[in-house]
Amino acid sequence: MDHVLHYAPDNASLIVRLTLEQGQIPYETRLVDRRAKAQRGAAYRALNPKGLIPTLETPEGPIFETGAILLWLADRHGELFPAPASPARGKALKWFFHLSNTMHPLARMMFYGETYVDAACLPDFYRRSAEHFAQAATLLDGAVAEWSDPDAPGIADFYAAALMRWPALYPRDADRSWFDLARWPALARVAARVEGLPACRALQSAEGLGDTPFTAPRYPDPPEGSAL
Ligand SMILES: N[C@@H](CCC(=O)N[C@@H](CS)C(=O)NCC(=O)O)C(=O)O
């Protein structure tokens, strides 16, 4: 098999799965057992020295970093992102990197705060990271026409939908009352559109994400593995 996705339910790998499904690209999956911390083990690190999920095995070797995997897939399989010669490419790229380089790292700061700061600082760190995340979401929302084509859902839509899911659920013990998808109406429309795709139904059943994984997320009930 040309593409093997190393995944855990409700992890960043879900964005890659959506892309593979939407592009009708054949793939297999390998569960990374997060309960056993398999992402830190030698076998997984041989594929991805960062020890983070996802990794996609390809004919060119393993690729890690969600954004890199998504662009690699889109460049080879078309219709998931404006092509290199398209006049829409530059605008879409700038917001795609806003998703992968600004919003995703801020989400990591919210979810994995204990790896960045001492325990005493955690509530403040979460609050400040969430403020930055909300500002970044507002910018993304206002520029939706530059990165999302309602007639051609693709990797930027999938990335945005995932980033509108996780802050509603994680971390479980944080005060997440600041997060309300209705604050970002354009992002809410993107989330609803992604939810309407057959690719999303495949994701929902593979990872137990429920009926409304992006517009009204619930904690996953996956058939295999665990989200954390
Ligand atoms: N920059 C990385 C971030 C990936 C990431 O944060 N993955 C999380 C799951 S969503 C992970 O592997 N967490 C397990 C850990 O930190 O040990 C990427 O885009 O691939």
Side-chain angles (χ1 to χ4, degrees):
M1 178 59 68
D2 277 356
H3 302 98
V4 180
L5 174 62
H6 295 258
Y7 90 104
D10 207 11
N11 280 219
S13 43
L14 78 82
I15 313 170
V16 181
R17 190 194 288 269
L18 270 174
T19 301
L20 291 160
E21 290 286 341
Q22 180 69 12
Q24 299 187 330
I25 302 162
Y27 67 102
E28 286 174 3
T29 56
R30 301 270 189 284
L31 177 72
V32 183
D33 183 355
R34 287 206 49 173
R35 279 205 190 96
K37 298 211 176 343
Q39 74 274 20
R40 308 266 167 79
Y44 188 75
R45 280 190 193 270
L47 297 171
N48 180 344
K50 301 178 74 163
L52 295 174
I53 302 160
T55 302
L56 184 71
E57 288 189 75
T58 78
E60 296 173 17
I63 304 183
F64 54 81
E65 282 298 318
T66 308
I69 298 170
L70 298 179
L71 279 172
W72 185 86
L73 285 170
D75 283 350
R76 268 151 197 79
H77 297 279
E79 298 190 2
L80 295 161
F81 197 74
S86 162
R89 174 90 170 184
K91 288 189 176 69
L93 268 179
K94 132 187 112 171
W95 291 108
F96 185 79
F97 276 79
H98 178 73
L99 285 159
S100 71
N101 283 14
T102 298
M103 293 184 70
H104 197 172
L106 283 167
R108 278 192 51 88
M109 290 175 204
M110 291 190 284
F111 306 151
Y112 300 100
E114 71 285 355
T115 67
Y116 293 91
V117 297
D118 292 336
C121 305
L122 264 178
D124 276 349
F125 187 69
Y126 173 78
R127 186 178 49 76
R128 295 296 298 274
S129 304
E131 281 169 14
H132 283 279
F133 184 93
Q135 286 162 9
T138 299
L139 286 178
L140 185 72
D141 188 82
V144 67
E146 294 195 344
W147 57 269
S148 177
D149 176 352
D151 298 324
I155 57 175
D157 301 277
F158 303 154
Y159 219 143
L163 286 167
M164 289 296 110
R165 166 182 169 83
W166 297 318
L169 302 175
Y170 308 110
R172 288 190 187 230
D173 58 356
D175 174 6
R176 300 184 310 276
S177 55
W178 63 275
F179 187 83
D180 178 0
L181 185 55
R183 284 176 70 177
W184 303 288
L187 296 179
R189 285 194 293 277
V190 168
R193 268 203 306 276
V194 172
E195 229 167 61
L197 299 172
C200 189
R201 280 191 282 291
L203 165 71
Q204 287 162 243
S205 67
E207 301 195 10
L209 299 191
D211 293 338
T212 51
F214 299 117
T215 57
R218 298 210 192 93
Y219 289 108
D221 180 17
E224 64 168 5
S226 70
L228 300 172

